[in-house]
Amino acid sequence: MASDGFRPLDEKSLVDYLKATPSLAAKLGNQFDKLEIREVGDGNLNFVYIVIGSSGSFVIKQDFNNVAFLESEGLNNADLLESWPMTKERAYFEATTLQDHGRLCPDHVPEVYHFDRNMCLIGMRYVEPPHIILRKGLISGIEYPLLAEHISEYMARTLFYTSLLYLTTTDHKNAVAKYCGNVELCRLTEQVVFSDPYKVFCERAQALIHGDLHTGSVMVTNDSTQVIDPEFSFYGPMGFDNGAFIGNLILAYFAQDGHADEGSDRKLYKEWILKTISDTWNLFYKKFTALWDEHKDGPGEAYLPAIYNNPELQLLVKQKYMEDLFHDTLGFGAAKMIRRIVGVAHVEDFESIKEASKRADCERKALNFAKTLLKERRKFQNIGEVVTAIEHLD
Ligand code: ADP
Ligand code: SR1
Ligand code: MG
Ligand code: MG
Ligand code: MG
């Protein structure tokens, strides 16, 4: 069991742990005198330590019991706590997804140096400054010219190569089995995003999804994009990742008026966010379908060549698949937007708007848009129409 031998570390006991762990000690050149250790976890569920030595650095993430977080959200009802046991096994799923996604997309996933299942502890690359969390960059009004290019690459590669479009049925089923134990975190998502199980989310084991791909799970600079924190990963619907990312960009868009000041009215920045939303989907579409074309005669067993051996039929299948994925993306994106406004775990985009009436105006617009998107998602034929609808509602 993962809890065997578990003990939560602090800045002091972490040093002893590092000394006793050869792979991590070696990264520090076995020098422990002048270590700089800082706890930086700004997430909801875990401790994150940055460790910097004279000859190397890394990050240590250790999962802890989430009761303190739930209580800080005012959720101290015993039944509720029991319904979110937040198994420590989530560290295992986070570590293996970082490794599996890292193999498929090494440019955008931090390398894992060490994993200790009993201690629920991951040692990984320190995504160093000037990287910051994307959500914070969006609040500050910073443009990231390569963001859509990078995140579409990450989503296209990780989703395509873990789906039945690329894998044999045997490999796909084995991979589904490997990840199906992350049940408690899936249940948490079912409850906080959908209120109760949502069939597409629960039933469709389409690809190895990140599972929590909001703008707080992406670290960025002008020319680098790194995806962290896949502890909610499982074989699920691809649109949940696309939707999480795009839905959170839409939240960032609607929060901008609350961040406008004498220095900037944020108008140009809002245009950049809209362009990033459409570039993300359009580039994803292009890259994902290009991978599909490249591997159409490969091992994937979703559409057997003996049946789908006609180019016109293949094109129709591809168009239908991408249309469904687009509508899933919009539906999931909308659900993620709504839960961040009226559910637990709000987002800094709105929470950092000090003036309550301004914040309420921004949230109201976002909520109204999300409602339309959720209910009428199938009416949207392309991302350009979504962007136009955002502009109309604004
Ligand atoms: P949680 O699951 O609790 O949300 P995260 O994995 O998102 O934890 O980490 C919390 C914070 O720690 C991140 O927002 C980021 O600031 C920092 N962090 C996490 N991993 C890294 C990393 N590899 N490099 C640099 N900072 C990191
Ligand atoms: C109890 S909800 C906590 C949230 O934080 C994580 O980042 C996930 O989005 C989760 O839903
Ligand atoms: Mg924290
Ligand atoms: Mg996080
Ligand atoms: Mg997390």
Side-chain angles (χ1 to χ4, degrees), residues 41-43 46:
D42 61 356
N46 310 290

Side-chain angles (χ1 to χ4, degrees), residues 44-45 69-70 84 188 192 212 214 232 339-340 344-345:
N44 294 323
L45 313 170
F69 162 71
L70 293 173
W84 287 340
L188 189 151
V192 302
D212 201 20
H214 54 77
F232 284 78
R339 75 59 74 109
R340 291 295 190 183
V344 292

Side-chain angles (χ1 to χ4, degrees), residues 155-166:
M155 291 194 292
R157 293 186 66 80
T158 57
L159 299 178
F160 176 80
Y161 282 115
T162 59
S163 77
L164 204 46
L165 295 172
Y166 178 74

